[in-house]
């Protein structure tokens, strides 16, 4: 048996934890550069606001109904996610983190799973203040669907155990929503399924497997089996090794100055290298990309991507940064209105799976230095210590976040004070 635990309206819920005055007010959180709505509460949905709507189009509604608006605070959301996952991991044998706000849990060997579901939900709410829903079922796909129903149906009080339902009620539950609500069935697949008369999850579960094999890829067949209670998607408590790490952000304004681009590339290189170390990985290929503003039609669009293969596997920031900077110097073009830049790490392996090189001692010292910087930044806040190329006095190259909340849990200066 598996559970899918999901933090409801996660970004907005994180903001409400530190702003109890927003508990019953509509809240929305915006995407990068304050572009579109990415998360919204039930109160905001009731006003007709939807995910993906550009912020500028709904400013009148937001102002008229006093909607609380926040820029994305990734530092806060990442830390709250880590806390939520640790809470869940303390109550179950193993978890598989699926995204920042949800994870699957292996419930093997545990009894009274419905009570456990309510205990998980209660503890998350008590310990970090995030409302959550829990779906429990014999397969991951059914667990995710149960979670979806637990959100939709108030009478379930946030928890649904598939095995608590009789066979007839299970069929009714599968017929309750459209097939597009099933995990792994996107809009395009849903349209193709509906052309064959497969309108609901129940239709998909009862569909002929030979028909599905003729018309659809293997993931649709696996999904149909999972809806019938046949486990076809493996539980992965240890995520597979990343094939690539990419760090990038669009700029708040067009960037022309090479030093501003250098600041952005430096920050992205630092972040990518930190992920390598956190996950005990190494890389031997460093790349960057630069994009101009494609909406500036008076000039040709400029886009470039390049990478360099290293002679050894590394995960220290100086090695990664120095190669990224060389690529920037090679491809920077004066006069171009740059809108986005990023760093890409490829040829990734787990630490210990790579052969040692003649410069192992030097590399070890660089790794220790980078790890020390990580420890300081983790303790005092991200960016407390950074490489000198980052220009703190310029905002042009940074992402626009005009309504960002404080980093309540990751920076001492932003910790709430009770007076």
């Amino acid at each position: 048996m598996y559970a899918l635990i999901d933090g409801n309206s996660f970004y907005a819920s994180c903001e409400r934890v530190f702003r109890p005055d927003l508990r019953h007010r509509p809240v929305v959180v915006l995407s990068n550069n304050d572009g579109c709505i990415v998360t919204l509460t039930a109160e905001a949905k009731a006003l007709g606001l939807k995910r993906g709507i550009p912020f500028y189009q709904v400013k009148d509604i937001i102002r008229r109904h006093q909607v609380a608006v926040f820029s994305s605070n990734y530092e806060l959301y990442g830390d709250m996610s880590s806390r939520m996952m640790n809470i869940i991991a303390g109550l179950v044998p193993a978890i598989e983190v699926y995204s920042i706000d949800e994870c699957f849990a292996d419930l093997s060997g545990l009894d009274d799973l419905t009570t456990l579901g309510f205990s998980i939900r209660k503890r998350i709410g008590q310990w970090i203040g995030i409302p959550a829903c829990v779906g429990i079922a014999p397969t991951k796909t059914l667990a995710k669907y149960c979670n979806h129903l637990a959100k939709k149906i108030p009478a379930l009080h946030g928890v649904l155990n598939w095995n608590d339902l009789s066979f007839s009620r299970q069929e009714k539950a599968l017929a309750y929503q459209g097939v597009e609500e099933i995990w792994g069935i996107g809009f395009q697949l849903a349209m193709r399924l509906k052309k064959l008369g497969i309108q609901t999850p129940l239709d998909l579960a009862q569909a002929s497997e030979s028909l599905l094999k003729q018309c659809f890829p293997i993931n649709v067949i696996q999904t149909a089996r999972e809806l019938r209670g046949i486990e076809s998607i493996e539980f992965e408590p240890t995520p597979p090794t990343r094939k690539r790490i990419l760090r990038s952000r669009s700029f708040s304004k067009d960037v022309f100055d090479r030093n501003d681009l250098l600041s952005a590339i430096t920050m992205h290189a630092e972040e990518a290298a930190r992920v390598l170390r956190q996950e005990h990985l190494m890389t031997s290929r460093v790349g960057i990309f630069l994009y101009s503003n494609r909406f500036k039609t008076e000039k040709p669009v400029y886009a470039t991507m390049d990478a360099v293969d290293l002679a050894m596997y590394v995960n220290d920031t100086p090695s990664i940064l120095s190669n990224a900077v060389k690529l920037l110097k090679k491809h920077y073009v004066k006069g171009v209105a740059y809108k986005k830049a990023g760093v890409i790490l490829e040829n990734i392996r787990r630490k210990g799976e790579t052969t040692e090189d003649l410069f192992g001692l030097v590399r070890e010292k660089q790794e220790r230095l980078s790890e020390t910087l990580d420890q300081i930044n983790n303790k005092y806040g991200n960016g407390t210590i950074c490489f000198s190329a980052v220009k703190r006095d310029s905002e042009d190259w940074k992402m626009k976040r005009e309504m960002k909340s404080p980093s309540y849990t990751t920076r001492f200066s932003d910790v709430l004070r009770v007076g």
Side-chain angles (χ1 to χ4, degrees):
M1 293 289 286
Y2 300 103
L4 188 281
I5 304 102
D6 180 17
N8 300 341
S9 302
F10 186 72
Y11 290 180
S13 294
C14 289
E15 301 291 354
R16 277 178 164 174
V17 168
F18 301 94
R19 289 283 306 276
D21 58 304
L22 300 177
R23 182 167 298 176
H24 301 295
R25 272 183 62 186
V27 178
V28 300
V29 178
L30 305 178
S31 64
N32 293 349
N33 288 311
D34 296 341
C36 302
I37 295 174
V38 292
T39 301
L40 64 169
T41 60
E43 296 86 353
K45 292 176 183 177
L47 300 175
L49 300 176
K50 295 181 180 179
R51 186 176 181 179
I53 292 180
F55 176 53
Y56 76 90
Q57 291 183 3
V58 292
K59 281 187 175 180
D60 288 342
I61 296 175
I62 286 172
R63 184 171 52 252
R64 188 163 61 249
H65 295 279
Q66 297 184 320
V67 178
V69 182
F70 293 93
S71 303
S72 293
N73 186 340
Y74 299 112
E75 300 85 355
L76 174 64
Y77 309 151
D79 185 67
M80 294 295 282
S81 171
S82 178
R83 294 172 187 231
M84 186 175 85
M85 300 307 167
N86 287 335
I87 291 170
I88 298 166
L91 293 169
V92 299
I95 67 170
E96 175 191 335
V97 177
Y98 179 65
S99 68
I100 192 171
D101 63 342
E102 60 185 327
C103 72
F104 290 99
D106 179 11
L107 306 183
S108 299
L110 302 179
D111 299 320
D112 198 358
L113 300 184
T114 304
T115 299
L116 174 62
F118 280 107
S119 297
I120 293 172
R121 185 171 187 266
K122 182 179 180 182
R123 184 170 293 189
I124 293 171
Q126 286 181 334
W127 287 18
I128 60 171
I130 299 292
C133 286
V134 182
I136 301 168
T139 68
K140 290 167 69 175
T141 302
L142 278 175
K144 194 156 175 61
Y145 186 62
C146 285
N147 180 281
H148 173 73
L149 295 178
K151 287 182 181 179
K152 289 283 185 181
I153 305 173
L156 294 173
H157 304 292
V159 177
L160 175 58
N161 182 349
W162 187 250
N163 285 353
D164 287 345
L165 304 179
S166 65
F167 180 75
S168 61
R169 291 189 67 193
Q170 288 177 352
E171 287 196 331
K172 184 177 180 181
L174 287 173
Y176 182 71
Q177 297 281 280
V179 71
E180 66 276 4
E181 297 296 342
I182 291 298
W183 179 42
I185 304 296
F187 177 78
Q188 295 294 335
L189 279 177
M191 293 300 100
R192 290 172 58 190
L193 287 165
K194 289 180 179 181
K195 288 179 180 179
L196 295 175
I198 301 174
Q199 302 287 333
T200 68
L202 179 61
D203 295 333
L204 180 56
Q206 296 177 341
S208 164
E209 190 160 302
S210 60
L211 173 65
L212 295 178
K213 286 180 178 179
Q214 292 175 21
C215 304
F216 298 99
I218 185 64
N219 65 294
V220 176
I221 298 162
Q222 290 175 329
T223 298
R225 290 173 181 170
E226 291 245 313
L227 291 173
R228 297 197 296 271
I230 303 170
E231 188 175 352
S232 302
I233 301 175
E234 292 184 5
F235 180 76
E236 297 180 308
T238 302
T241 302
R242 293 173 184 257
K243 295 182 179 179
R244 165 187 289 195
I245 294 174
L246 185 152
R247 286 295 180 270
S248 70
R249 294 278 162 80
S250 297
F251 305 133
S252 60
K253 302 176 183 177
D254 289 344
V255 168
F256 296 88
D257 185 19
R258 191 179 76 170
N259 288 330
D260 283 333
L261 283 177
L262 176 60
S263 295
I265 290 295
T266 299
M267 184 185 70
H268 296 320
E270 289 178 339
E271 291 179 350
R274 185 163 57 247
V275 171
L276 280 177
R277 293 188 292 274
Q278 287 173 346
E279 300 185 11
H280 308 290
L281 303 174
M282 311 283 282
T283 183
S284 67
R285 185 176 176 84
V286 178
I288 71 165
F289 63 85
L290 305 169
Y291 297 154
S292 67
N293 192 333
R294 60 191 176 92
F295 296 106
K296 297 280 186 178
T297 55
E298 66 274 12
K299 290 187 176 182
V301 173
Y302 179 81
T304 186
M305 181 180 295
D306 195 7
V308 58
D309 290 308
L310 311 183
M312 56 187 175
Y313 280 86
V314 301
N315 68 4
D316 63 282
T317 300
S319 297
I320 292 168
L321 177 58
S322 62
N323 284 281
V325 171
K326 289 177 184 177
L327 291 170
L328 173 63
K329 291 178 179 178
K330 176 181 176 182
H331 291 286
Y332 170 75
V333 176
K334 189 175 181 180
V336 171
Y338 291 98
K339 190 61 179 177
K340 191 173 185 178
V343 171
I344 306 171
L345 306 182
E346 297 177 308
N347 292 353
I348 293 174
R349 292 187 181 180
R350 291 197 177 278
K351 191 173 182 180
E353 295 179 355
T354 60
T355 56
E356 292 295 329
D357 55 82
L358 296 175
F359 304 98
L361 184 60
V362 174
R363 192 188 69 186
E364 185 179 339
K365 289 181 178 179
Q366 291 177 330
E367 284 182 28
R368 287 205 301 268
L369 171 63
S370 298
E371 288 169 357
T372 300
L373 296 181
D374 291 344
Q375 292 170 5
I376 294 171
N377 286 324
N378 288 338
K379 184 174 182 178
Y380 295 101
N382 189 27
T384 300
I385 295 183
C386 61
F387 284 76
S388 60
V390 177
K391 290 172 62 180
R392 299 260 182 201
D393 57 345
S394 175
E395 298 295 322
D396 290 353
W397 63 271
K398 295 183 179 179
M399 182 175 62
K400 179 181 178 183
R401 293 196 285 181
E402 294 181 347
M403 293 159 283
K404 176 182 170 292
S405 58
S407 299
Y408 298 106
T409 65
T410 57
R411 187 178 291 277
F412 277 137
S413 60
D414 289 348
V415 172
L416 286 176
R417 293 174 173 82
V418 178

